[in-house]
Amino acid sequence: MLLSLENVSYSYPHSEKKALRSVTVSIQQGEYIAVLGCNGSGKSTLARLMAGFFEPSEGTVRKQEGLRPGIVFQQPKEQIVAGIVERDTAFGPQNLSLSKDEIELRTIECLSVVSLADKAFCRTLELSLGQTQRLAFSGILALFPDLLILDEVTAMLDPEAKKRLLEFIGRWNRKGHAVVHVTHDLDEAMKASRIIVMEDGAAAFDGTRQEFAADRRVFESVFGQDAEYTSFACRKQAHLESAETALKVSGLSFCYGSFDVFKEISFGLKKGTLTALTGPSGCGKSTLFECLAGLKKACAGTAEASSRPVLALQESEASLFEPYAADDVAFGPKNRNVCGKELLARVKGAMELSGLPYSEFANRATFSLSGGEKRKLSIAGLIALDSSILIFDEPTAGLDPASRKKIISALRSLAESGKTVLFSTHRIQEAAAADVHLRWEELLAHKNSPLCFAEEKETGLKKMELIKNASLLGGIARAASVFTAPAKIPSSVISSLPAAAKMILFLALFAVSLSVTPLWACVLMILVNGLYAAAARLPFSKPLMAVARLFPWIVLFSLMGIFLFPVYEGDTILFSWKMIVVTRTKLLLFARSFFHSVSALFAIGTFIFSTDERQIMDGFSFVLRPLAVLKIPVRYAVISAGIMFRFVPLLLEELSGIIKTQIIRGAFADARGIKKIKMMLPVFVPLVLQTVRKAQCLADALTARYFK
């Protein structure tokens, strides 16, 4: 026996409800178990408890001595610990103190298994969500775990990638490894030899797949009476041909520099129809949607529409920023000056349509919702805008079968009410429930359906330009690139130093840069840090870009001294107006603060450029070793250091997601100058909440990779 849970119960902190209730489960060597159940039934909690992340509130957990479980979490981006693909997969084996050759072999092998070998030196933030999910799987697989626990690992994968991954899981299991697979898919569940069904935190069923298929009550409680989408009646061809064109895309292309994401895509959407878009993970569907919504500027081609399309982002977490569910749904309509009874009606209607009854969820804390409930809430927030063209990026990902049908039914209801609805999916049965099925490979090959372009019905379309203040997103992306390590760290005097020496050198330069007081010493430290950057072969354009991007904030921070610093007796007053008094000492303080900031940016940029994630944490471990000798626990300080350096680009990406949603919902539509800064303030509340949550998730990810 590998693992057993005996009458185990668990409650999350500050929650009166038990997430798990008297669960008794045992896992034998070589078993393949599927865990099923509705969203919020306790599946993910059970998976984390099996992986050792929780101690049960009640009951007993017994493990085989030396058991090494490996868990892939439900949200893939929360399990990525490195900035470069191959370094992320290598991180776990490095923690197991394996040889360099063995680490390299496992990294290549596992990236090949998930079809990411060609992305080995790409930045992890540049991957699509589906590719990120495969990378998370690769990172855990590289540990060669005795018990492989998978929490919805195929939710973002296209059918071909999903097939390859399931085939590998099967081969892994046949070699004698135990697998626990949390899933919402019938085909995945039936590959397991044993099935556990969770209901309201309890194990309602535990038996073979044959027994599960034979027990119609249990089967239908998970998948419903109609496992397919045969109940959805699509519009007749004649109706589609006679409808007006609501959106027309002609020769649209998008590129990042010299890299083409997609080229010359053309299609059209009819008013009052439901259209599905399918295609491989990472092909560019999400980028296309952002172009249509005005968040990204296409390199060529045009998009014309009867009104501005609105977009529900694929990452539902980034779409939620109000503390309570109903407030989050109301955010968009409020920005469109909807209030009173009309606002309440919109919020209620959108929540009901998305499968979140207003009476039950209105006052629920947003971040206490399950992953599936958060996705539904993000969909409700978009529906409440009452726009005529709505785009949903993977709206059913991570949802249980009943919820998936509810969302597809909601999209069809919107289309039948006259809305034009476009959504992406990896499920062929969902695409079949739409009026029109657009296939990505056919769009690239310019195979368009005749009904996409009815020239006589294209009146009233306007060319869609970049949405107001979308330039904020470009600035955030450029700032993130400044604080991101290169794919391959260049060979240099600095990069060849041991991790401890790198850390000591950086801390010394950083501390001195912030502590020197004579102006000549401040200028000298900028020159010293310039030499540090040159020795690391850091292009000067990177720290200079950081200074340029942050210049207004550096000046603002430095000017605070003029307002807050007191006037000392005998100091020379250079200027005085009301509450503002400028003295010689204050000017010197301003100059020192400015030089300190510039010098520190050079030091931080050089350190990140020349040091990978593993070396950062090894370096901090060395610096804190004296505390460890004194029996003071330093592990969390080291983890915090790793989180801090990983967090700079991660939080900038999180900020980008929040701003995207707020722009879509009208938050920055007419903001200019001081008003724009004022409207940025509400962004920081959800960003702080997300920071706390992301910090915990990243700490869990490091723990899952056996970092000690």
Side-chain angles (χ1 to χ4, degrees), residues 119 125-128 131 253-263 282-288 290-291 295-300 473-474 477-478 656 660:
K119 301 281 187 182
L125 290 176
E126 294 172 353
L127 300 180
S128 71
Q131 291 168 331
S253 302
F254 186 87
C255 59
Y256 289 110
S258 59
F259 173 69
D260 291 319
V261 179
F262 55 80
K263 291 186 69 175
C283 66
K285 300 187 299 296
S286 297
T287 303
L288 170 64
E290 291 194 18
C291 288
L295 298 173
K296 282 185 167 66
K297 185 174 179 60
C299 302
L473 301 171
R478 288 188 289 271
S656 178
K660 278 180 187 177

Side-chain angles (χ1 to χ4, degrees), residues 156-353:
M156 300 292 176
L157 301 185
D158 60 81
E160 186 57 35
K162 172 181 168 180
K163 178 183 175 183
R164 289 197 301 268
L165 201 58
L166 291 174
E167 286 174 350
F168 176 82
I169 294 169
R171 291 197 300 272
W172 182 263
N173 173 247
R174 287 191 291 275
K175 289 180 180 179
H177 301 287
V179 176
V180 174
H181 189 177
V182 177
T183 179
H184 288 306
D185 282 10
L186 177 59
D187 59 337
E188 294 179 16
M190 298 311 286
K191 291 182 182 296
S193 56
R194 177 179 161 202
I195 292 177
I196 297 171
V197 177
M198 298 296 294
E199 285 183 9
D200 195 26
F205 175 88
D206 187 348
T208 66
R209 65 169 176 247
Q210 292 83 4
E211 291 170 338
F212 171 72
D215 192 329
R216 299 311 299 174
R217 186 197 68 81
V218 174
F219 182 91
E220 290 176 5
S221 72
V222 178
F223 295 108
Q225 294 181 349
D226 179 16
E228 300 298 326
Y229 289 74
T230 54
S231 59
F232 293 100
C234 299
R235 302 294 180 87
K236 296 185 186 307
Q237 186 77 7
H239 170 80
L240 298 177
E241 291 176 351
S242 63
E244 295 179 2
T245 298
L247 184 147
K248 178 182 176 181
V249 177
S250 305
L252 205 67
S253 302
F254 186 87
C255 59
Y256 289 110
S258 59
F259 173 69
D260 291 319
V261 179
F262 55 80
K263 291 186 69 175
E264 298 182 1
I265 283 181
S266 299
F267 65 92
L269 301 180
K270 296 290 188 175
K271 181 180 179 181
T273 59
L274 179 62
T275 303
L277 174 62
T278 60
S281 302
C283 66
K285 300 187 299 296
S286 297
T287 303
L288 170 64
F289 284 176
E290 291 194 18
C291 288
L292 298 181
L295 298 173
K296 282 185 167 66
K297 185 174 179 60
C299 302
T302 60
E304 299 171 275
S306 56
S307 65
R308 169 73 68 186
V310 295
L311 169 66
L313 298 172
Q314 189 178 56
E315 296 175 70
S316 55
E317 292 281 356
S319 302
L320 310 176
F321 36 78
E322 291 287 356
Y324 296 100
D327 293 335
D328 201 89
V329 177
F331 182 87
K334 281 183 177 178
N335 286 325
R336 296 188 173 190
N337 300 317
V338 179
C339 57
K341 291 182 178 179
E342 184 183 352
L343 177 63
L344 181 60
R346 276 208 202 177
V347 172
K348 281 185 175 181
M351 292 183 72
E352 296 288 345
L353 196 58

Side-chain angles (χ1 to χ4, degrees), residues 543-617:
L544 289 176
M545 186 186 295
V547 172
R549 294 291 169 198
L550 299 175
F551 184 80
W553 301 101
I554 295 173
V555 172
L556 182 63
F557 175 77
S558 302
L559 283 173
M560 288 177 65
I562 292 179
F563 294 99
L564 302 178
F565 201 72
V567 177
Y568 289 107
E569 187 177 348
D571 199 358
T572 304
I573 297 177
L574 303 175
F575 176 79
S576 178
W577 180 71
K578 295 184 178 181
M579 300 291 292
I580 301 174
V581 180
V582 179
T583 68
R584 183 175 180 277
T585 302
K586 286 187 176 187
L587 278 182
L588 289 174
L589 177 64
F590 169 82
R592 279 198 297 269
S593 297
F594 182 84
F595 289 139
H596 284 167
S597 300
V598 172
S599 192
L601 284 174
F602 266 80
I604 293 171
T606 303
F607 180 67
I608 292 175
F609 182 81
S610 59
T611 314
D612 65 32
E613 293 81 357
R614 177 73 251 180
Q615 288 181 317
I616 288 174
M617 284 183 267

Side-chain angles (χ1 to χ4, degrees), residues 2 55 79 124 149-150 214 230 277 309 394 444 527 569 580 666 674 702-703:
L2 288 180
E55 289 293 328
Q79 195 157 350
T124 54
I149 304 168
L150 309 171
T230 54
L277 174 62
E394 295 283 347
L444 293 179
L527 295 175
E569 187 177 348
I580 301 174
I674 296 297
L702 293 172
T703 301

Side-chain angles (χ1 to χ4, degrees), residues 395-680:
T396 64
L399 297 183
D400 59 68
S403 296
R404 290 201 301 264
K405 291 177 190 174
K406 175 71 175 176
I407 293 302
I408 297 297
S409 177
L411 301 189
R412 174 148 297 286
S413 296
L414 290 169
E416 290 174 353
S417 70
K419 309 289 187 188
T420 303
V421 184
L422 170 65
F423 72 101
S424 60
T425 180
H426 289 307
R427 302 177 190 277
I428 299 303
Q429 64 269 39
E430 292 179 1
D435 300 312
V436 179
H437 180 185
L438 297 177
R439 295 171 176 83
W440 187 260
E441 57 276 12
E442 292 181 0
L443 291 180
L444 293 179
H446 313 299
K447 295 179 180 178
N448 298 304
S449 168
L451 65 87
C452 289
F453 296 102
E455 298 294 338
E456 72 279 3
K457 295 292 184 178
E458 289 175 10
T459 58
L461 299 186
K462 298 177 182 178
K463 185 179 178 180
M464 292 294 105
E465 303 290 350
L466 201 64
I467 200 168
K468 288 182 179 179
N469 289 304
S471 57
L472 286 169
L473 301 171
I476 293 170
R478 288 188 289 271
S481 67
V482 171
F483 294 103
T484 304
K488 198 168 183 62
I489 294 174
S491 177
S492 67
V493 174
I494 303 300
S495 65
S496 62
L497 292 174
K502 282 186 182 181
M503 182 60 65
I504 291 171
L505 177 60
F506 162 68
L507 291 176
L509 289 173
F510 186 73
V512 174
S513 295
L514 294 179
S515 60
V516 293
T517 54
L519 284 185
W520 64 265
C522 294
V523 175
L524 178 63
M525 283 310 301
I526 291 178
L527 295 175
V528 169
N529 278 302
L531 292 174
Y532 174 42
R537 298 178 61 187
L538 170 67
F540 271 46
S541 59
K542 288 180 74 74
L544 289 176
M545 186 186 295
V547 172
R549 294 291 169 198
L550 299 175
F551 184 80
W553 301 101
I554 295 173
V555 172
L556 182 63
F557 175 77
S558 302
L559 283 173
M560 288 177 65
I562 292 179
F563 294 99
L564 302 178
F565 201 72
V567 177
Y568 289 107
E569 187 177 348
D571 199 358
T572 304
I573 297 177
L574 303 175
F575 176 79
S576 178
W577 180 71
K578 295 184 178 181
M579 300 291 292
I580 301 174
V581 180
V582 179
T583 68
R584 183 175 180 277
T585 302
K586 286 187 176 187
L587 278 182
L588 289 174
L589 177 64
F590 169 82
R592 279 198 297 269
S593 297
F594 182 84
F595 289 139
H596 284 167
S597 300
V598 172
S599 192
L601 284 174
F602 266 80
I604 293 171
T606 303
F607 180 67
I608 292 175
F609 182 81
S610 59
T611 314
D612 65 32
E613 293 81 357
R614 177 73 251 180
Q615 288 181 317
I616 288 174
M617 284 183 267
D618 284 346
F620 268 102
S621 295
F622 177 84
V623 170
L624 298 175
R625 189 174 295 172
L627 298 178
V629 171
L630 297 173
K631 306 299 182 184
I632 297 175
V634 299
R635 177 174 180 270
Y636 288 104
V638 174
I639 288 178
S640 297
I643 288 173
M644 179 179 68
F645 283 95
R646 167 77 175 124
F647 244 33
V648 175
L650 194 66
L651 287 184
L652 286 172
E653 185 192 30
E654 194 71 34
L655 177 62
S656 178
I658 293 170
I659 289 178
K660 278 180 187 177
T661 304
Q662 295 206 355
I663 287 175
I664 290 167
R665 298 191 191 179
F668 300 101
D670 301 310
R672 291 288 183 276
I674 296 297
K675 188 177 179 182
K676 184 186 289 188
I677 295 174
K678 183 180 178 181
M679 293 199 73
M680 283 289 290

